[in-house]
Amino acid sequence: MDRIETETLSPDETGIARAVAIWRKGGLVAFPTETVYGLGADACNGAAVARIFAAKNRPAFNPLIIHVADLASARRFAHFSDVAERLAAAFWPGPLSLVLPVRKGAWLSPLVTAGLDSVAVRVPQTPLARALLAAFGGAIAAPSANPSGTISPTTAAHVLQGLAGRIDAVMDGGAAQVGLESTIVHPDLLPPALLRPGGLPAEAIEAVLGCTLQIATNAEKPLSPGQLLSHYAPKSRLRLDQATPPDGWFWLGFGRICKGADLNLSASGDLVEAAANLFAMLHKADDIARRDGLAGIAIAPVPDHGLGAAINDRLARAAAEKI
Ligand code: AMP
Ligand code: MG
């Protein structure tokens, strides 16, 4: 990754306007919430979301939580059941993320949901975070603003220690009060499930629901296929590492050498662009391969450095799910 200049933004009108301008251009701004500092990007811009994974060096495309200014904005991106409404009314704004069905036409990047048909949403509590989100007007995808595998940041200085030179800006809003990630709940199961313990105690949620949460925690991975939500894998057969495609296969290329590919993840060999295209192109390749009765999808080799590692992880899983 090329080193970029990381600006420090002040927690005022000027800083907010600058953060919004960076987000609109597809850049990355770390910002304080009551839980920890989040690394935010426009959730509807695939290349911007891909940059989050690149900056954090995340080895896999696990789904991200979207942050919105209020419940009305959340409804533009997700469907709320009665139980979801009750939890939102009781705990938003606050450190609770709800996993909800994605609304069709929400235009979220598939990288945000890792290709799932559910999305995790929350409304953060601090006036600064809400002012930022209201000024942006859309959804900001944000995991914690630290390199993958390191401790979550609760100050702007922590963010800079880990990510200076890799992100466009950090807004300095002082220390995060909660210092723990949000609690993640899937409200639409019977009983509703706790997916990750966090800043909001499970007991408080159970008191509102009037029942005990089932425990389905797996902090680093979305629920496994077949358990609750099915992870996206094409229905067609997949072959990886195909520098030249077999006859009768759809060819999904990568880089300049794949002349004549049916689709190319990135003709210029840009891994950020490839990540942004990955889920949508797999869908399209699958549709075409099945429509035209092709043998399957042959995928060109993708280098394993930077975002390539996460791309290859996802491709390997998609291929394994076929066996
Ligand atoms: P982080 O971005 O590090 O706070 O982690 C977000 C976590 O939220 C993921 O690792 C998942 O465990 C969970 N998550 C986000 N979106 C979903 C979803 N659509 N379904 C299930 N779990 C999700
Ligand atoms: Mg994290």
Side-chain angles (χ1 to χ4, degrees):
M1 241 183 108
D2 294 338
R3 242 191 116 73
I4 53 175
E5 185 76 35
T6 302
E7 300 171 38
T8 297
L9 308 179
S10 51
D12 55 19
E13 290 298 319
T14 314
I16 289 174
R18 181 72 191 129
V20 168
I22 293 170
W23 277 334
R24 295 234 162 95
K25 280 189 302 194
L28 301 184
V29 182
F31 65 105
T33 76
E34 80 280 21
T35 58
V36 299
Y37 273 66
L39 180 56
D42 180 354
C44 296
N45 178 335
V49 177
R51 281 188 202 109
I52 292 179
F53 291 90
K56 282 179 66 80
N57 247 325
R58 269 211 182 176
F61 292 124
N62 42 348
L64 304 177
I65 296 167
I66 64 167
H67 294 66
V68 292
D70 50 35
L71 179 56
S73 311
R75 288 205 183 92
R76 286 167 40 209
F77 298 98
H79 288 284
F80 282 71
S81 63
D82 289 348
V83 178
E85 289 283 354
R86 260 163 59 210
L87 292 178
F91 298 115
W92 281 0
L96 173 67
S97 298
L98 296 173
V99 173
L100 303 173
V102 181
R103 193 175 273 285
K104 280 230 156 38
W107 301 114
L108 290 171
S109 158
L111 280 183
V112 168
T113 57
L116 300 167
D117 47 20
S118 62
V119 60
V121 195
R122 90 178 186 98
V123 177
Q125 204 157 41
T126 58
L128 179 60
R130 298 182 72 199
L132 257 173
L133 294 166
F136 178 67
I140 292 295
S144 53
N146 54 303
S148 191
T150 70
I151 301 165
S152 291
T154 54
T155 65
H158 292 162
V159 174
L160 289 170
Q161 270 165 31
L163 296 175
R166 305 176 69 85
I167 64 176
D168 296 286
V170 56
M171 176 169 284
D172 188 350
Q177 304 99 307
V178 176
L180 275 180
E181 280 90 352
S182 62
T183 303
I184 307 180
V185 168
H186 194 312
D188 299 330
L189 299 171
L190 277 175
L194 177 69
L195 305 187
R196 178 178 78 185
L200 180 68
E203 291 79 1
I205 300 166
E206 290 174 336
V208 166
L209 292 174
C211 69
T212 306
L213 291 165
Q214 59 169 309
I215 310 289
T217 56
N218 188 340
E220 291 313 316
K221 267 196 292 177
L223 300 156
S224 61
Q227 196 187 350
L228 278 172
L229 303 152
S230 70
H231 223 113
Y232 175 72
K235 296 194 177 66
S236 307
R237 293 169 64 199
L238 291 187
R239 274 198 194 165
L240 307 183
D241 288 321
Q242 303 295 303
T244 49
D247 264 359
W249 286 64
F250 187 97
W251 191 25
L252 181 55
F254 174 83
R256 279 181 237 284
I257 53 161
C258 293
K259 295 230 171 15
D262 297 293
L263 278 175
N264 199 317
L265 289 167
S266 169
S268 65
D270 175 354
L271 288 165
V272 170
E273 184 184 16
N277 283 333
L278 180 64
F279 289 105
M281 285 195 176
L282 280 175
H283 267 288
K284 195 160 177 195
D286 198 23
D287 290 345
I288 296 172
R290 289 175 345 118
R291 183 196 69 198
D292 296 350
L294 301 177
I297 306 168
I299 303 174
V302 175
D304 211 40
H305 60 81
L307 270 187
I311 294 172
N312 285 324
D313 171 77
R314 187 86 275 286
L315 288 173
R317 280 170 208 275
E321 279 161 22
K322 305 259 73 64
I323 296 163

